[in-house]
Amino acid sequence: MILSRGLIILDRDGVLNSVVVDAEHGTIDSPLHPSQVQIYPWVPGAIALLNSRHYGVAIATNQPAAAKSKTTKRNLELVHDTVVKLAEGGGGKILTSHICFHRSEDGCECRKPKPGLLLDAISKNSGFDLKSSWMVGDGVTDIQAGHLAGLKTAFVGSKKWDAQRVFEDAGFKPTVWVENLLEFAEYLI
Protein backbone atom coordinates (compact mmCIF):
# COMPACT_ATOMS: atom_id res chain seq x y z
CA MET A 1 0.00 0.00 0.00
CA ILE A 2 1.33 3.46 -0.94
CA LEU A 3 0.78 6.05 1.75
CA SER A 4 -0.33 9.56 0.85
CA ARG A 5 2.02 12.28 1.86
CA GLY A 6 0.94 15.83 2.53
CA LEU A 7 -1.59 18.08 0.89
CA ILE A 8 -0.03 20.94 -1.05
CA ILE A 9 -2.38 23.94 -1.12
CA LEU A 10 -1.43 26.42 -3.82
CA ASP A 11 -2.30 30.04 -4.25
CA ARG A 12 -3.17 30.61 -7.91
CA ASP A 13 -2.10 33.96 -9.38
CA GLY A 14 1.67 34.36 -9.23
CA VAL A 15 2.19 30.67 -8.44
CA LEU A 16 0.39 28.86 -11.27
CA ASN A 17 -0.24 31.68 -13.72
CA SER A 18 1.09 35.15 -14.34
CA VAL A 19 -0.76 38.27 -13.31
CA VAL A 20 -2.00 40.78 -15.88
CA VAL A 21 -0.22 44.10 -16.15
CA ASP A 22 -2.20 47.06 -17.45
CA ALA A 23 0.54 49.45 -18.55
CA GLU A 24 -1.94 52.21 -19.38
CA HIS A 25 -3.33 52.36 -15.84
CA GLY A 26 -0.24 51.06 -14.04
CA THR A 27 -2.17 48.24 -12.37
CA ILE A 28 -1.52 44.56 -11.78
CA ASP A 29 -4.48 42.20 -11.48
CA SER A 30 -5.61 38.61 -11.75
CA PRO A 31 -6.77 37.48 -15.19
CA LEU A 32 -10.33 38.74 -15.66
CA HIS A 33 -11.07 36.72 -18.80
CA PRO A 34 -9.91 33.25 -19.90
CA SER A 35 -8.01 34.79 -22.84
CA GLN A 36 -5.69 36.48 -20.33
CA VAL A 37 -4.53 33.24 -18.66
CA GLN A 38 -0.84 32.49 -19.08
CA ILE A 39 0.31 29.47 -17.12
CA TYR A 40 3.97 29.36 -16.12
CA PRO A 41 5.75 26.73 -18.26
CA TRP A 42 7.09 24.76 -15.27
CA VAL A 43 3.72 24.36 -13.55
CA PRO A 44 2.32 21.23 -15.33
CA GLY A 45 5.55 19.32 -14.67
CA ALA A 46 5.72 20.47 -11.05
CA ILE A 47 2.18 19.31 -10.30
CA ALA A 48 2.81 15.97 -12.03
CA LEU A 49 6.02 15.57 -10.00
CA LEU A 50 4.20 16.27 -6.71
CA ASN A 51 1.45 13.78 -7.61
CA SER A 52 4.00 11.14 -8.61
CA ARG A 53 5.39 11.35 -5.08
CA HIS A 54 1.88 10.94 -3.61
CA TYR A 55 1.29 14.57 -2.63
CA GLY A 56 -2.25 15.85 -3.12
CA VAL A 57 -2.65 19.27 -4.71
CA ALA A 58 -5.43 21.80 -4.08
CA ILE A 59 -5.89 25.50 -4.88
CA ALA A 60 -6.93 28.27 -2.45
CA THR A 61 -7.34 31.69 -4.05
CA ASN A 62 -8.92 35.07 -3.36
CA GLN A 63 -10.80 36.33 -6.45
CA PRO A 64 -12.72 39.52 -5.57
CA ALA A 65 -12.88 41.06 -9.09
CA ALA A 66 -16.60 40.35 -9.64
CA ALA A 67 -17.47 41.78 -6.21
CA LYS A 68 -15.50 44.88 -7.26
CA SER A 69 -17.45 45.05 -10.56
CA LYS A 70 -14.33 44.50 -12.68
CA THR A 71 -15.77 41.39 -14.39
CA THR A 72 -18.46 38.77 -13.90
CA LYS A 73 -18.35 35.81 -11.56
CA ARG A 74 -18.84 33.59 -14.63
CA ASN A 75 -15.66 35.03 -16.21
CA LEU A 76 -13.77 34.34 -12.99
CA GLU A 77 -15.03 30.75 -13.00
CA LEU A 78 -13.95 30.35 -16.64
CA VAL A 79 -10.53 31.82 -15.82
CA HIS A 80 -10.14 29.34 -12.99
CA ASP A 81 -11.24 26.40 -15.14
CA THR A 82 -8.64 27.44 -17.73
CA VAL A 83 -5.87 27.67 -15.13
CA VAL A 84 -6.72 24.21 -13.77
CA LYS A 85 -6.90 22.64 -17.24
CA LEU A 86 -3.52 24.09 -18.25
CA ALA A 87 -1.90 23.28 -14.89
CA GLU A 88 -2.98 19.64 -15.27
CA GLY A 89 -1.48 19.53 -18.79
CA GLY A 90 1.54 17.52 -17.65
CA GLY A 91 -0.57 14.65 -16.35
CA GLY A 92 -0.92 15.92 -12.78
CA LYS A 93 -4.21 16.34 -10.95
CA ILE A 94 -5.58 19.18 -8.84
CA LEU A 95 -7.99 17.59 -6.37
CA THR A 96 -10.09 20.58 -5.34
CA SER A 97 -10.31 24.35 -5.69
CA HIS A 98 -11.34 26.74 -2.93
CA ILE A 99 -12.20 30.26 -4.08
CA CYS A 100 -13.17 33.32 -2.06
CA PHE A 101 -15.12 35.77 -4.23
CA HIS A 102 -15.44 38.37 -1.45
CA ARG A 103 -13.70 41.71 -1.04
CA SER A 104 -11.53 42.27 2.02
CA GLU A 105 -14.09 44.74 3.43
CA ASP A 106 -16.79 42.02 3.37
CA GLY A 107 -15.24 40.51 6.49
CA CYS A 108 -15.79 36.87 5.46
CA GLU A 109 -14.06 33.93 7.10
CA CYS A 110 -12.78 32.43 3.86
CA ARG A 111 -10.61 35.24 2.46
CA LYS A 112 -6.88 34.87 3.08
CA PRO A 113 -5.15 35.84 5.38
CA LYS A 114 -7.87 34.07 7.37
CA PRO A 115 -7.41 30.30 7.13
CA GLY A 116 -10.97 29.41 6.04
CA LEU A 117 -10.10 28.37 2.47
CA LEU A 118 -7.20 26.24 3.69
CA LEU A 119 -9.24 24.56 6.39
CA ASP A 120 -11.91 23.80 3.78
CA ALA A 121 -9.26 22.28 1.50
CA ILE A 122 -7.96 20.14 4.35
CA SER A 123 -11.44 18.92 5.32
CA LYS A 124 -12.38 18.06 1.73
CA ASN A 125 -9.10 16.20 1.13
CA SER A 126 -8.80 13.92 4.13
CA GLY A 127 -6.23 11.16 4.26
CA PHE A 128 -3.18 13.37 3.83
CA ASP A 129 -0.54 13.78 6.52
CA LEU A 130 -1.08 17.26 7.96
CA LYS A 131 2.48 17.37 9.32
CA SER A 132 3.66 17.04 5.70
CA SER A 133 1.15 19.57 4.30
CA TRP A 134 2.01 22.99 2.92
CA MET A 135 0.56 26.32 1.83
CA VAL A 136 2.47 27.70 -1.17
CA GLY A 137 1.91 31.31 -2.18
CA ASP A 138 3.42 34.52 -3.46
CA GLY A 139 1.81 36.86 -0.95
CA VAL A 140 2.25 37.60 2.72
CA THR A 141 -1.45 36.78 3.21
CA ASP A 142 -0.84 33.27 1.83
CA ILE A 143 1.91 32.65 4.35
CA GLN A 144 -0.17 34.10 7.17
CA ALA A 145 -3.15 31.88 6.26
CA GLY A 146 -0.87 28.84 6.14
CA HIS A 147 0.59 29.73 9.51
CA LEU A 148 -2.89 30.12 11.03
CA ALA A 149 -3.96 26.76 9.56
CA GLY A 150 -0.94 25.04 11.13
CA LEU A 151 0.76 24.24 7.82
CA LYS A 152 4.33 24.55 6.65
CA THR A 153 4.64 27.45 4.21
CA ALA A 154 6.58 28.19 1.05
CA PHE A 155 6.90 31.71 -0.29
CA VAL A 156 7.24 31.85 -4.08
CA GLY A 157 9.11 34.89 -5.34
CA SER A 158 12.36 36.66 -5.80
CA LYS A 159 14.38 37.22 -2.66
CA LYS A 160 14.99 40.73 -3.97
CA TRP A 161 11.44 41.61 -2.94
CA ASP A 162 11.34 43.25 0.49
CA ALA A 163 8.99 40.66 2.04
CA GLN A 164 11.65 39.61 4.53
CA ARG A 165 11.03 42.75 6.58
CA VAL A 166 7.24 42.37 6.23
CA PHE A 167 7.46 38.83 7.62
CA GLU A 168 9.69 39.96 10.48
CA ASP A 169 7.26 42.78 11.35
CA ALA A 170 4.32 40.36 11.25
CA GLY A 171 6.04 37.89 13.58
CA PHE A 172 6.03 34.92 11.21
CA LYS A 173 8.01 33.84 8.18
CA PRO A 174 7.77 31.12 5.54
CA THR A 175 9.28 27.71 6.19
CA VAL A 176 11.09 27.98 2.86
CA TRP A 177 11.53 30.64 0.17
CA VAL A 178 11.65 29.44 -3.47
CA GLU A 179 11.73 31.07 -6.90
CA ASN A 180 8.84 29.04 -8.38
CA LEU A 181 6.63 25.99 -7.97
CA LEU A 182 9.08 23.63 -9.67
CA GLU A 183 11.81 24.63 -7.24
CA PHE A 184 9.39 23.93 -4.39
CA ALA A 185 8.49 20.48 -5.82
CA GLU A 186 12.18 19.63 -6.19
CA TYR A 187 12.80 20.84 -2.62
CA LEU A 188 10.17 18.38 -1.33
CA ILE A 189 11.47 15.51 -3.46
Side-chain angles (χ1 to χ4, degrees), residues 31-117:
L32 302 178
H33 188 273
S35 65
Q36 295 177 314
V37 173
Q38 292 185 359
I39 202 87
Y40 293 124
W42 52 81
V43 166
I47 291 174
L49 178 59
L50 289 167
N51 288 166
S52 75
R53 296 300 201 267
H54 309 288
Y55 285 98
V57 177
I59 297 173
T61 181
N62 294 341
Q63 296 297 323
K68 294 179 178 181
S69 300
K70 293 180 177 183
T71 190
T72 64
K73 186 175 179 186
R74 180 67 184 139
N75 269 346
L76 293 180
E77 290 166 343
L78 291 170
V79 164
H80 190 74
D81 292 347
T82 302
V83 170
V84 170
K85 180 182 177 185
L86 294 172
E88 292 179 333
K93 177 75 177 148
I94 295 170
L95 299 172
T96 57
S97 294
H98 309 269
I99 305 170
C100 173
F101 292 105
H102 302 107
R103 303 167 301 162
S104 59
E105 56 268 27
D106 293 335
C108 66
E109 292 301 313
C110 51
R111 184 178 172 83
K112 295 177 289 180
K114 292 182 180 175
L117 289 178

Side-chain angles (χ1 to χ4, degrees), residues 88-177:
E88 292 179 333
K93 177 75 177 148
I94 295 170
L95 299 172
T96 57
S97 294
H98 309 269
I99 305 170
C100 173
F101 292 105
H102 302 107
R103 303 167 301 162
S104 59
E105 56 268 27
D106 293 335
C108 66
E109 292 301 313
C110 51
R111 184 178 172 83
K112 295 177 289 180
K114 292 182 180 175
L117 289 178
L118 283 62
L119 297 174
D120 189 47
I122 292 165
S123 73
K124 290 203 169 74
N125 295 289
S126 61
F128 291 97
D129 178 15
L130 285 182
K131 291 181 182 179
S132 300
S133 295
W134 292 74
M135 174 63 206
V136 180
D138 70 329
V140 174
T141 58
D142 299 316
I143 304 308
Q144 185 176 7
H147 178 74
L148 291 171
L151 303 175
K152 295 179 190 175
T153 56
F155 184 81
V156 174
S158 171
K159 291 187 180 178
K160 294 177 185 173
W161 189 63
D162 197 25
Q164 203 99 19
R165 183 184 314 141
V166 174
F167 289 129
E168 288 170 7
D169 291 346
F172 59 88
K173 61 182 181 177
T175 308
V176 65
W177 196 312

